[in-house]
Amino acid sequence: MQIFKHLEDLRQWRQQLRMDGKTLAFVPTMGNLHEGHIQLVHQAHQHADVVITSIFVNPMQFGENEDLDAYPRTFDADCEKLAAADNHAVYFPSVSEMYPNGLSAQTFVQVPDNDNTLCAESTQRPGHFRGVSTVVTKLFNMVQPDVACFGEKDYQQLRVIRTMVADLNMPIKIVGVPTVREESGLAKSSRNGYLTPAEKAIAPVLHKSIQQVKTAILAHYQSSTTTDNLSNNRSVIDDNAQIEAAAIAAINEAGLKVDYVIARDAHTLAPITQDTQDFVVLGAAFLGKARLIDNITFSR
């Protein structure tokens, strides 16, 4: 497995792949890899001849109250896992290579509306998605992949990337990969490493609660009628608020601190109405030092 730390070397390698007629799939990560990341690599193999993974802890997407320095750096262990998954190359740039003029002077990419919704509304996440879209744009320009794989666990991030690629006419296929879970239902995440054994035992309540939101929403639609659309829309709003409130209460009671639990249109992230067909329930909660996120999608 090849390791590139400098853009010049990466581009020479990429040019040779192109000359050889080989396609390239890309898996962007911040390292501290777990089974979910490795699943992205396995999926990437299904879409291209060669797979490259990046490891870069992006300072631009950390909030003021998040400890960038404390984020786990496990490069050697990450490379062992990637090599075992037949990953072909790793791009491991420094912060100075990614942002040579510093963050304050960096040109950025911002997808409209996404810095004012859900995760970004949290006091710890302002500018988060701008940081994501900026670094992913830079990485796409550096790696020049044909395909890029992202986990569906971070539903909002995946939506931001897909919107950005479409709006900027990037010739890259974006593949969403289903969330990898532990037997308890807890979504695998690098941040799970912050959890104590006691916290990890109660963390699955987040997934359990958003599943209950799904069940309650489907029950509402099955029991509703469509004779009065305005009235039914009001009923959806009222019922949905009660459903979300019940989930929030259950999660808080278990010992987590809810950031949000909310049901939205799966395509637009707009509030659901009587006409909504495809849904996503998104949840985020704090537990000890970790901020956990999860989601489920479904249709009626």
Side-chain angles (χ1 to χ4, degrees), residues 210-225 232 235-236 239-240 243 272 274 279 281 298-300:
I210 64 175
Q211 285 182 310
Q212 291 172 342
V213 171
K214 168 188 172 180
T215 300
I217 288 174
L218 289 176
H220 166 88
Y221 282 93
Q222 290 169 358
S223 63
S224 65
T225 64
N232 280 318
S235 176
V236 168
D239 285 2
N240 194 48
I243 292 167
I272 63 176
Q274 188 64 30
F279 305 80
V281 181
F298 58 97
S299 302
R300 66 182 175 105

Side-chain angles (χ1 to χ4, degrees), residues 101-209:
N101 299 315
L103 295 183
S104 61
Q106 172 64 43
T107 298
F108 60 82
V109 177
Q110 184 165 341
V111 177
D113 297 332
N114 283 290
D115 271 349
N116 297 304
T117 185
L118 301 177
C119 273
E121 288 180 349
S122 168
T123 56
Q124 294 199 8
R125 312 294 281 182
H128 171 75
F129 287 123
R130 189 179 79 174
V132 170
S133 54
T134 298
V135 76
V136 172
T137 297
K138 287 179 66 70
L139 288 168
F140 281 174
N141 286 332
M142 292 168 159
V143 176
Q144 300 176 9
D146 301 291
V147 179
C149 296
F150 293 84
E152 293 178 351
K153 177 176 72 71
D154 197 331
Y155 190 89
Q156 296 167 79
Q157 174 178 281
L158 179 57
R159 181 175 177 271
V160 166
I161 298 304
R162 282 179 165 154
T163 300
M164 179 188 75
V165 166
D167 286 354
L168 299 182
N169 305 106
M170 296 181 179
I172 302 170
K173 178 182 178 180
I174 303 301
V175 176
V177 179
T179 301
V180 176
R181 300 185 181 277
E182 301 191 10
E183 290 185 8
S184 64
L186 177 65
K188 287 186 176 289
S189 169
S190 298
R191 296 179 186 271
N192 290 354
Y194 295 136
L195 299 174
T196 66
E199 290 168 344
K200 197 167 185 179
I202 64 173
V205 72
L206 177 62
H207 182 59
K208 180 179 179 180
S209 295

Side-chain angles (χ1 to χ4, degrees), residues 61-130:
Q61 67 192 72
F62 280 74
E64 292 183 3
N65 298 319
E66 293 182 301
D67 193 347
L68 171 64
D69 293 335
Y71 192 88
R73 273 79 165 176
T74 55
F75 182 73
D76 291 341
D78 292 343
C79 286
E80 290 180 6
K81 293 175 183 177
L82 290 171
D86 295 325
N87 184 76
H88 296 99
V90 174
Y91 183 39
F92 184 50
S94 64
V95 174
S96 61
E97 173 140 321
M98 290 297 295
Y99 303 117
N101 299 315
L103 295 183
S104 61
Q106 172 64 43
T107 298
F108 60 82
V109 177
Q110 184 165 341
V111 177
D113 297 332
N114 283 290
D115 271 349
N116 297 304
T117 185
L118 301 177
C119 273
E121 288 180 349
S122 168
T123 56
Q124 294 199 8
R125 312 294 281 182
H128 171 75
F129 287 123
R130 189 179 79 174

